[in-house]
Amino acid sequence: MSDAAAPKPKSKKKLMVIVIAAVVVLAIAGAGAMFMMKKKSGGDEDGEEGAAAAPAAHAKHDDKNPPTFLPIDNLVVNLADPGGERFAQVGITFQMADGHSADALKTNMPRVRSAILMMTSQRTSAELLSREGKEKLAKNIADEASRTFGIEPEDEDEDEDAAPKKKKKKRKAAPESPVQGVLFSSFIVQ
């Protein structure tokens, strides 16, 4: 009986070695696959692949200079609906050209937050529930944040039919705003 018991532990050891070897091979293959996928997606060596792998709506994207994201605390504001019982909670993240411009915007954040609250409180829930309303609000917020850098937005109300007899003055190209986009991280209307 002792002869029959000896081969079983050897076969269990062989099985255990085979299982461990298979696990190691799979781990190495998985690590190699992750490395190749990371290399294709353009991630850096620190493991950071960037917060925005794909450009978001209303945001510009430059592969040479990755953007900096500046989240601000959620804002809660009463809306302009009749009765004044509706409100919105909005989470905003600014997409900035670089860290320096993000720091400059942080310095002026109380003024920017106040302007955002004023703009949002002038809207109704129906406006904010539509995609167009959210896009318009995002553009207005970006314009307001751009004023921090001395950049005035172009008037959208001007069109060619408004003053057909007046010759339009050629405008100088506006400087590029470091505010590349306004992204909503949350948007609740109640």
mmCIF file with all atom_site columns, all heavy atoms in Angstrom, residues 34-35 37-39 41-53:
data_model
loop_
_atom_site.group_PDB
_atom_site.id
_atom_site.type_symbol
_atom_site.label_atom_id
_atom_site.label_alt_id
_atom_site.label_comp_id
_atom_site.label_asym_id
_atom_site.label_entity_id
_atom_site.label_seq_id
_atom_site.pdbx_PDB_ins_code
_atom_site.Cartn_x
_atom_site.Cartn_y
_atom_site.Cartn_z
_atom_site.occupancy
_atom_site.B_iso_or_equiv
_atom_site.pdbx_formal_charge
_atom_site.auth_seq_id
_atom_site.auth_comp_id
_atom_site.auth_asym_id
_atom_site.auth_atom_id
_atom_site.pdbx_PDB_model_num
ATOM 1   N N   . MET A 1 34 ? -1.283  44.295 -22.782 1.00 0.00 ? 34 MET A N   1
ATOM 2   C CA  . MET A 1 34 ? -1.562  45.624 -22.228 1.00 0.00 ? 34 MET A CA  1
ATOM 3   C C   . MET A 1 34 ? -0.509  46.626 -22.684 1.00 0.00 ? 34 MET A C   1
ATOM 4   O O   . MET A 1 34 ? -0.816  47.765 -23.022 1.00 0.00 ? 34 MET A O   1
ATOM 5   C CB  . MET A 1 34 ? -1.607  45.574 -20.699 1.00 0.00 ? 34 MET A CB  1
ATOM 6   C CG  . MET A 1 34 ? -2.902  45.011 -20.170 1.00 0.00 ? 34 MET A CG  1
ATOM 7   S SD  . MET A 1 34 ? -3.012  44.957 -18.380 1.00 0.00 ? 34 MET A SD  1
ATOM 8   C CE  . MET A 1 34 ? -2.469  46.573 -17.891 1.00 0.00 ? 34 MET A CE  1
ATOM 9   N N   . PHE A 1 35 ? 0.753   46.214 -22.702 1.00 0.00 ? 35 PHE A N   1
ATOM 10  C CA  . PHE A 1 35 ? 1.834   47.091 -23.146 1.00 0.00 ? 35 PHE A CA  1
ATOM 11  C C   . PHE A 1 35 ? 1.626   47.504 -24.594 1.00 0.00 ? 35 PHE A C   1
ATOM 12  O O   . PHE A 1 35 ? 1.771   48.670 -24.937 1.00 0.00 ? 35 PHE A O   1
ATOM 13  C CB  . PHE A 1 35 ? 3.179   46.378 -22.974 1.00 0.00 ? 35 PHE A CB  1
ATOM 14  C CG  . PHE A 1 35 ? 4.330   47.172 -23.492 1.00 0.00 ? 35 PHE A CG  1
ATOM 15  C CD1 . PHE A 1 35 ? 4.836   48.240 -22.763 1.00 0.00 ? 35 PHE A CD1 1
ATOM 16  C CD2 . PHE A 1 35 ? 4.917   46.867 -24.714 1.00 0.00 ? 35 PHE A CD2 1
ATOM 17  C CE1 . PHE A 1 35 ? 5.899   48.979 -23.238 1.00 0.00 ? 35 PHE A CE1 1
ATOM 18  C CE2 . PHE A 1 35 ? 5.975   47.595 -25.196 1.00 0.00 ? 35 PHE A CE2 1
ATOM 19  C CZ  . PHE A 1 35 ? 6.472   48.658 -24.463 1.00 0.00 ? 35 PHE A CZ  1
ATOM 20  N N   . MET A 1 37 ? -1.236  47.545 -26.311 1.00 0.00 ? 37 MET A N   1
ATOM 21  C CA  . MET A 1 37 ? -2.427  48.388 -26.422 1.00 0.00 ? 37 MET A CA  1
ATOM 22  C C   . MET A 1 37 ? -2.128  49.795 -25.917 1.00 0.00 ? 37 MET A C   1
ATOM 23  O O   . MET A 1 37 ? -2.561  50.778 -26.497 1.00 0.00 ? 37 MET A O   1
ATOM 24  C CB  . MET A 1 37 ? -3.592  47.779 -25.643 1.00 0.00 ? 37 MET A CB  1
ATOM 25  C CG  . MET A 1 37 ? -4.161  46.547 -26.336 1.00 0.00 ? 37 MET A CG  1
ATOM 26  S SD  . MET A 1 37 ? -5.421  45.648 -25.421 1.00 0.00 ? 37 MET A SD  1
ATOM 27  C CE  . MET A 1 37 ? -6.352  46.869 -24.587 1.00 0.00 ? 37 MET A CE  1
ATOM 28  N N   . LYS A 1 38 ? -1.380  49.900 -24.843 1.00 0.00 ? 38 LYS A N   1
ATOM 29  C CA  . LYS A 1 38 ? -1.019  51.195 -24.285 1.00 0.00 ? 38 LYS A CA  1
ATOM 30  C C   . LYS A 1 38 ? -0.148  51.966 -25.278 1.00 0.00 ? 38 LYS A C   1
ATOM 31  O O   . LYS A 1 38 ? -0.322  53.160 -25.470 1.00 0.00 ? 38 LYS A O   1
ATOM 32  C CB  . LYS A 1 38 ? -0.275  50.995 -22.972 1.00 0.00 ? 38 LYS A CB  1
ATOM 33  C CG  . LYS A 1 38 ? 0.100   52.278 -22.279 1.00 0.00 ? 38 LYS A CG  1
ATOM 34  C CD  . LYS A 1 38 ? 0.763   51.968 -20.964 1.00 0.00 ? 38 LYS A CD  1
ATOM 35  C CE  . LYS A 1 38 ? 1.268   53.226 -20.312 1.00 0.00 ? 38 LYS A CE  1
ATOM 36  N NZ  . LYS A 1 38 ? 1.985   52.940 -19.090 1.00 0.00 ? 38 LYS A NZ  1
ATOM 37  N N   . LYS A 1 39 ? 0.754   51.272 -25.912 1.00 0.00 ? 39 LYS A N   1
ATOM 38  C CA  . LYS A 1 39 ? 1.644   51.903 -26.878 1.00 0.00 ? 39 LYS A CA  1
ATOM 39  C C   . LYS A 1 39 ? 0.854   52.421 -28.076 1.00 0.00 ? 39 LYS A C   1
ATOM 40  O O   . LYS A 1 39 ? 1.106   53.514 -28.570 1.00 0.00 ? 39 LYS A O   1
ATOM 41  C CB  . LYS A 1 39 ? 2.704   50.894 -27.324 1.00 0.00 ? 39 LYS A CB  1
ATOM 42  C CG  . LYS A 1 39 ? 3.852   51.493 -28.066 1.00 0.00 ? 39 LYS A CG  1
ATOM 43  C CD  . LYS A 1 39 ? 4.934   50.456 -28.286 1.00 0.00 ? 39 LYS A CD  1
ATOM 44  C CE  . LYS A 1 39 ? 6.144   51.069 -28.938 1.00 0.00 ? 39 LYS A CE  1
ATOM 45  N NZ  . LYS A 1 39 ? 7.198   50.102 -29.135 1.00 0.00 ? 39 LYS A NZ  1
ATOM 46  N N   . SER A 1 41 ? -2.351  53.320 -28.063 1.00 0.00 ? 41 SER A N   1
ATOM 47  C CA  . SER A 1 41 ? -3.253  54.400 -27.678 1.00 0.00 ? 41 SER A CA  1
ATOM 48  C C   . SER A 1 41 ? -2.507  55.676 -27.334 1.00 0.00 ? 41 SER A C   1
ATOM 49  O O   . SER A 1 41 ? -3.125  56.711 -27.138 1.00 0.00 ? 41 SER A O   1
ATOM 50  C CB  . SER A 1 41 ? -4.134  53.977 -26.498 1.00 0.00 ? 41 SER A CB  1
ATOM 51  O OG  . SER A 1 41 ? -3.352  53.870 -25.332 1.00 0.00 ? 41 SER A OG  1
ATOM 52  N N   . GLY A 1 42 ? -1.206  55.644 -27.240 1.00 0.00 ? 42 GLY A N   1
ATOM 53  C CA  . GLY A 1 42 ? -0.429  56.848 -27.008 1.00 0.00 ? 42 GLY A CA  1
ATOM 54  C C   . GLY A 1 42 ? -0.255  57.204 -25.555 1.00 0.00 ? 42 GLY A C   1
ATOM 55  O O   . GLY A 1 42 ? 0.020   58.342 -25.228 1.00 0.00 ? 42 GLY A O   1
ATOM 56  N N   . GLY A 1 43 ? -0.417  56.279 -24.654 1.00 0.00 ? 43 GLY A N   1
ATOM 57  C CA  . GLY A 1 43 ? -0.227  56.557 -23.237 1.00 0.00 ? 43 GLY A CA  1
ATOM 58  C C   . GLY A 1 43 ? 1.234   56.814 -22.947 1.00 0.00 ? 43 GLY A C   1
ATOM 59  O O   . GLY A 1 43 ? 2.124   56.396 -23.675 1.00 0.00 ? 43 GLY A O   1
ATOM 60  N N   . ASP A 1 44 ? 1.528   57.536 -21.839 1.00 0.00 ? 44 ASP A N   1
ATOM 61  C CA  . ASP A 1 44 ? 2.910   57.799 -21.507 1.00 0.00 ? 44 ASP A CA  1
ATOM 62  C C   . ASP A 1 44 ? 3.453   56.713 -20.587 1.00 0.00 ? 44 ASP A C   1
ATOM 63  O O   . ASP A 1 44 ? 2.756   55.810 -20.186 1.00 0.00 ? 44 ASP A O   1
ATOM 64  C CB  . ASP A 1 44 ? 3.079   59.189 -20.894 1.00 0.00 ? 44 ASP A CB  1
ATOM 65  C CG  . ASP A 1 44 ? 2.300   59.361 -19.605 1.00 0.00 ? 44 ASP A CG  1
ATOM 66  O OD1 . ASP A 1 44 ? 1.838   58.354 -19.045 1.00 0.00 ? 44 ASP A OD1 1
ATOM 67  O OD2 . ASP A 1 44 ? 2.157   60.518 -19.163 1.00 0.00 ? 44 ASP A OD2 1
ATOM 68  N N   . GLU A 1 45 ? 4.730   56.834 -20.223 1.00 0.00 ? 45 GLU A N   1
ATOM 69  C CA  . GLU A 1 45 ? 5.381   55.776 -19.466 1.00 0.00 ? 45 GLU A CA  1
ATOM 70  C C   . GLU A 1 45 ? 4.889   55.673 -18.033 1.00 0.00 ? 45 GLU A C   1
ATOM 71  O O   . GLU A 1 45 ? 5.070   54.670 -17.374 1.00 0.00 ? 45 GLU A O   1
ATOM 72  C CB  . GLU A 1 45 ? 6.894   56.013 -19.476 1.00 0.00 ? 45 GLU A CB  1
ATOM 73  C CG  . GLU A 1 45 ? 7.489   55.811 -20.844 1.00 0.00 ? 45 GLU A CG  1
ATOM 74  C CD  . GLU A 1 45 ? 8.976   56.088 -20.859 1.00 0.00 ? 45 GLU A CD  1
ATOM 75  O OE1 . GLU A 1 45 ? 9.571   56.258 -19.779 1.00 0.00 ? 45 GLU A OE1 1
ATOM 76  O OE2 . GLU A 1 45 ? 9.549   56.109 -21.942 1.00 0.00 ? 45 GLU A OE2 1
ATOM 77  N N   . ASP A 1 46 ? 4.290   56.743 -17.502 1.00 0.00 ? 46 ASP A N   1
ATOM 78  C CA  . ASP A 1 46 ? 3.819   56.722 -16.120 1.00 0.00 ? 46 ASP A CA  1
ATOM 79  C C   . ASP A 1 46 ? 2.497   56.013 -15.964 1.00 0.00 ? 46 ASP A C   1
ATOM 80  O O   . ASP A 1 46 ? 1.972   55.911 -14.874 1.00 0.00 ? 46 ASP A O   1
ATOM 81  C CB  . ASP A 1 46 ? 3.678   58.150 -15.587 1.00 0.00 ? 46 ASP A CB  1
ATOM 82  C CG  . ASP A 1 46 ? 5.027   58.848 -15.516 1.00 0.00 ? 46 ASP A CG  1
ATOM 83  O OD1 . ASP A 1 46 ? 6.040   58.142 -15.388 1.00 0.00 ? 46 ASP A OD1 1
ATOM 84  O OD2 . ASP A 1 46 ? 5.052   60.083 -15.591 1.00 0.00 ? 46 ASP A OD2 1
ATOM 85  N N   . GLY A 1 47 ? 1.886   55.573 -17.054 1.00 0.00 ? 47 GLY A N   1
ATOM 86  C CA  . GLY A 1 47 ? 0.626   54.874 -16.968 1.00 0.00 ? 47 GLY A CA  1
ATOM 87  C C   . GLY A 1 47 ? -0.572  55.804 -17.096 1.00 0.00 ? 47 GLY A C   1
ATOM 88  O O   . GLY A 1 47 ? -1.695  55.369 -16.983 1.00 0.00 ? 47 GLY A O   1
ATOM 89  N N   . GLU A 1 48 ? -0.328  57.092 -17.314 1.00 0.00 ? 48 GLU A N   1
ATOM 90  C CA  . GLU A 1 48 ? -1.432  58.022 -17.489 1.00 0.00 ? 48 GLU A CA  1
ATOM 91  C C   . GLU A 1 48 ? -1.740  58.124 -18.975 1.00 0.00 ? 48 GLU A C   1
ATOM 92  O O   . GLU A 1 48 ? -0.901  58.506 -19.760 1.00 0.00 ? 48 GLU A O   1
ATOM 93  C CB  . GLU A 1 48 ? -1.051  59.405 -16.950 1.00 0.00 ? 48 GLU A CB  1
ATOM 94  C CG  . GLU A 1 48 ? -0.790  59.395 -15.467 1.00 0.00 ? 48 GLU A CG  1
ATOM 95  C CD  . GLU A 1 48 ? -0.335  60.748 -14.964 1.00 0.00 ? 48 GLU A CD  1
ATOM 96  O OE1 . GLU A 1 48 ? -0.436  61.729 -15.710 1.00 0.00 ? 48 GLU A OE1 1
ATOM 97  O OE2 . GLU A 1 48 ? 0.129   60.810 -13.831 1.00 0.00 ? 48 GLU A OE2 1
ATOM 98  N N   . GLU A 1 49 ? -2.949  57.788 -19.332 1.00 0.00 ? 49 GLU A N   1
ATOM 99  C CA  . GLU A 1 49 ? -3.319  57.847 -20.732 1.00 0.00 ? 49 GLU A CA  1
ATOM 100 C C   . GLU A 1 49 ? -4.098  59.109 -21.055 1.00 0.00 ? 49 GLU A C   1
ATOM 101 O O   . GLU A 1 49 ? -4.605  59.261 -22.144 1.00 0.00 ? 49 GLU A O   1
ATOM 102 C CB  . GLU A 1 49 ? -4.148  56.620 -21.104 1.00 0.00 ? 49 GLU A CB  1
ATOM 103 C CG  . GLU A 1 49 ? -3.339  55.366 -21.042 1.00 0.00 ? 49 GLU A CG  1
ATOM 104 C CD  . GLU A 1 49 ? -4.088  54.169 -21.548 1.00 0.00 ? 49 GLU A CD  1
ATOM 105 O OE1 . GLU A 1 49 ? -5.151  54.317 -22.152 1.00 0.00 ? 49 GLU A OE1 1
ATOM 106 O OE2 . GLU A 1 49 ? -3.592  53.075 -21.337 1.00 0.00 ? 49 GLU A OE2 1
ATOM 107 N N   . GLY A 1 50 ? -4.190  60.028 -20.136 1.00 0.00 ? 50 GLY A N   1
ATOM 108 C CA  . GLY A 1 50 ? -4.907  61.267 -20.385 1.00 0.00 ? 50 GLY A CA  1
ATOM 109 C C   . GLY A 1 50 ? -6.361  61.099 -20.025 1.00 0.00 ? 50 GLY A C   1
ATOM 110 O O   . GLY A 1 50 ? -6.954  60.056 -20.224 1.00 0.00 ? 50 GLY A O   1
ATOM 111 N N   . ALA A 1 51 ? -6.941  62.148 -19.503 1.00 0.00 ? 51 ALA A N   1
ATOM 112 C CA  . ALA A 1 51 ? -8.331  62.083 -19.071 1.00 0.00 ? 51 ALA A CA  1
ATOM 113 C C   . ALA A 1 51 ? -9.289  62.012 -20.245 1.00 0.00 ? 51 ALA A C   1
ATOM 114 O O   . ALA A 1 51 ? -10.387 61.508 -20.115 1.00 0.00 ? 51 ALA A O   1
ATOM 115 C CB  . ALA A 1 51 ? -8.660  63.291 -18.196 1.00 0.00 ? 51 ALA A CB  1
ATOM 116 N N   . ALA A 1 52 ? -8.884  62.524 -21.385 1.00 0.00 ? 52 ALA A N   1
ATOM 117 C CA  . ALA A 1 52 ? -9.783  62.526 -22.533 1.00 0.00 ? 52 ALA A CA  1
ATOM 118 C C   . ALA A 1 52 ? -9.098  61.838 -23.699 1.00 0.00 ? 52 ALA A C   1
ATOM 119 O O   . ALA A 1 52 ? -8.355  62.449 -24.439 1.00 0.00 ? 52 ALA A O   1
ATOM 120 C CB  . ALA A 1 52 ? -10.159 63.950 -22.908 1.00 0.00 ? 52 ALA A CB  1
ATOM 121 N N   . ALA A 1 53 ? -9.331  60.557 -23.856 1.00 0.00 ? 53 ALA A N   1
ATOM 122 C CA  . ALA A 1 53 ? -8.731  59.821 -24.957 1.00 0.00 ? 53 ALA A CA  1
ATOM 123 C C   . ALA A 1 53 ? -9.336  60.267 -26.281 1.00 0.00 ? 53 ALA A C   1
ATOM 124 O O   . ALA A 1 53 ? -8.664  60.308 -27.292 1.00 0.00 ? 53 ALA A O   1
ATOM 125 C CB  . ALA A 1 53 ? -8.929  58.326 -24.768 1.00 0.00 ? 53 ALA A CB  1
#
